[in-house]
Amino acid sequence: MSPVIQLLAAGRTFRQGPDEYAALRPATVTIDRGQYVAVTGASGSGKSTLLNLITGVDRASQGTVRVNGTALETLGEGALARFRGASIGIVFQFFELIPTLTALDNVVLAMDLVGTVPPRARR
Ligand SMILES: Nc1ncnc2c1ncn2[C@@H]1O[C@H](COP(=O)(O)OP(=O)(O)OP(=O)(O)O)[C@@H](O)[C@H]1O
Ligand SMILES: [Mg+2]
């Protein structure tokens, strides 16, 4: 089976004044295509931080995050945005919808941004 997600000593640190602390200590993880994975742990243990690295929402401070064969740290902001748009689906805990748009327009907006569905087929 080919790994679809691979972290090699990937970690995320944040700066707090003069100090740095690790939101995610360097982690090495392999997830194969078709595998279902649940990430569990205490609040503040780094689950969202890990998901943010895998989805390209955030960047690792060290190590490598490889998704579908692409090392995300090699992508610039534009390429990373295109990767998120074309390859990643996220169901957020608090939905993250744009409140001034209808539910339908929220969905169509994402299609507009990525251009994966022909305009006339979007609605
Ligand atoms: N943008 C940020 N800036 C500074 N510190 C952060 C940031 N994001 C997360 N942290 C810190 O990193 C650590 C891990 O946070 P994270 O949100 O990944 O935990 P979690 O496991 O998802 O928690 P929960 O179960 O509450 O969702 C926490 O100490 C958190 O305060
Ligand atoms: Mg979380």
Side-chain angles (χ1 to χ4, degrees):
M1 238 197 261
S2 55
V4 69
I5 295 166
Q6 226 172 1
L7 279 76
L8 296 170
R12 179 68 162 100
T13 55
F14 288 103
R15 184 165 286 286
Q16 198 169 41
D19 301 324
E20 281 210 328
Y21 71 95
L24 181 72
R25 278 179 282 133
T28 295
V29 178
T30 300
I31 299 173
D32 289 326
R33 192 170 299 281
Q35 218 183 336
Y36 272 82
V37 175
V39 182
T40 65
S43 180
S45 60
K47 303 180 297 293
S48 293
T49 303
L50 173 69
L51 290 176
N52 288 344
L53 299 190
I54 292 171
T55 53
V57 168
D58 192 15
R59 290 178 182 277
S61 308
Q62 69 265 120
T64 292
V65 178
R66 198 176 278 276
V67 179
N68 261 343
T70 302
L72 301 190
E73 64 275 8
T74 66
L75 302 181
E77 286 307 309
L80 192 61
R82 284 189 293 278
F83 158 79
R84 285 194 302 268
S87 303
I88 299 293
I90 304 174
V91 180
F92 287 102
Q93 195 167 359
F94 298 107
F95 304 121
E96 310 288 357
L97 298 174
I98 296 172
T100 52
L101 299 182
T102 65
L104 177 61
D105 284 337
N106 267 277
V107 176
V108 170
L109 174 64
M111 295 176 181
D112 284 343
L113 294 174
V114 192
T116 48
V117 179
R120 294 206 339 220
R122 286 178 194 167
R123 288 190 172 267

